[in-house]
Amino acid sequence: MPNQSNRPEFFSCANGDKAPLPFTNAEYERRLKKLRSIMATSDIPAVLFTSMHNIAYYSGFLYCSFGRPYGCVVTADRCTTISANIDGGQPWRRSFADNVIYTDWRRDNFWRAVASVTGPVRRLGIERDHLTLVHRDTLIEMLSAPDLVDISDGTMAARMVKSDEEIALIREGARIADLGGEAIHAAIRQDTSEIDVAMAGRDAMETEIARSFPDSELRDTWVWFQSGLNTDGAHNPVTSRKLEQGDILSLNTFPMISAYYTALERTLFLGEPDAESLRIWNANIAAHELGLSLIRPGATCSAICEELNRFFEAENLLQYRSFGYGHSFGVLSHHYGREAGLELREDIETVLQPGMVVSMEPMLWVPEGQSGAGGYREHDILVVGETAAENITGFPYGPEHNTIG
């Protein structure tokens, strides 16, 4: 066996120059200043982030786990990502932070690297909603059993109000989502498969992201284009099913720019919908428009839900409602991230305030075998301002534009 004694458990290597990040240094400093205020209030000398969304939010680095742990340690004067040796110098280049690389030569080198940055701390901030039981137990053993303080709610609340720089990026995402929608709309025809239509939308968005953000990493942009029975779930994967005349269709574009998620979702029909399908579609559109009018500063998430529920109940459609009426935007995707405190649901009492960015996306799901079967949904993005909300989605909705052929 080769001698492992001279191989490092962790090390630092500034390999190459720092890459341009999606936000200015001042923006990352603003985020860290707010975080350190939260830490000071709760007497937390160090925080260990382990989620993709918080690490990306505070450092700019979005990791690819592939079964390995990653972290970001924030103290009173440092922000340091902890990354696996398999990624080389990319985590350092693609972050505002310092970086420590851990090696695979010895089990738990990740935690040794973390300890090298935190030092001996009596209290450590963690994300309770992300840290696994196995990692929690190892943390307690390797870091001399500090008191663990959950910081996930505080950081989520901080992320929910966007800066001007974030809103500018989200606007670009909404614009690019519309371009993906146009490419999908143009690709829809009988006997074309879901995957072929989806690729048209994805390619259009990735091409535009590369043009508009030449310094960004190109990753994770995707499309869910669903037809017929496959429209019943909002997150159903694309299939190779071929489109048939009379199909209900669901267009969903998701451009990802430096870990920031935006979306466009629309109901369409290939050919004229039958009378009941048209009734349900129009009712969902009416709910969508009502919801758009309800999003304003001072409104509560739960109150918006109650109003929309009353509308659907009056239309005898409430039993077909599928999920909450909207959610926040920012550092999130189908792989990671969620700002559960800013979802338009009955159990969320959050008050909308300027700087928040939310969707309005009512969905009705009528099961197969019933008249008007399928999934109906529309989705726009709104930026909450001082006195009203601005809709930054431009792609048309409704039968006039989205009945094809």
Side-chain angles (χ1 to χ4, degrees), residues 117-135:
V117 180
T118 63
V121 287
R122 56 185 177 78
R123 286 166 63 82
L124 180 69
I126 60 162
E127 298 172 83
R128 189 177 60 183
D129 59 353
H130 187 268
L131 193 69
T132 67
L133 295 176
V134 170
H135 283 167

Side-chain angles (χ1 to χ4, degrees), residues 161-299:
V161 178
K162 313 304 177 188
S163 69
D164 289 344
E165 289 190 31
E166 288 180 286
I167 291 172
L169 185 66
I170 290 169
R171 287 181 185 276
E172 278 292 276
R175 177 184 69 84
I176 292 169
D178 285 347
L179 293 178
E182 291 172 7
I184 287 172
H185 195 282
I188 294 171
R189 59 184 57 87
Q190 187 172 337
D191 295 327
T192 300
S193 67
E194 288 183 2
I195 184 60
D196 287 335
V197 176
M199 287 192 294
R202 185 200 62 206
D203 290 351
M205 291 189 292
E206 289 190 330
T207 298
E208 181 60 17
I209 293 170
R211 187 193 71 81
S212 300
F213 297 89
D215 294 319
S216 69
E217 295 178 314
L218 299 171
R219 57 186 292 185
D220 297 337
T221 291
W222 85 103
V223 166
W224 282 323
F225 178 75
Q226 301 136 344
S227 63
L229 178 62
N230 199 29
T231 63
D232 63 347
H235 300 160
N236 291 356
V238 176
T239 74
S240 59
R241 178 186 184 272
K242 293 187 182 298
L243 309 188
E244 300 175 1
Q245 196 69 15
D247 274 347
I248 184 172
L249 309 172
S250 187
L251 174 163
N252 310 269
T253 64
F254 306 98
M256 294 294 297
I257 308 169
S258 299
Y260 272 67
Y261 164 105
T262 47
L264 166 71
E265 300 176 8
R266 290 290 184 259
T267 300
L268 310 93
F269 272 82
L270 183 55
E272 291 292 332
D274 60 60
E276 181 63 5
S277 296
L278 185 60
R279 183 188 78 84
I280 297 168
W281 190 7
N282 281 328
N284 201 56
I285 288 169
H288 181 63
E289 291 175 340
L290 173 60
L292 293 174
S293 73
L294 296 172
I295 295 177
R296 64 176 76 93

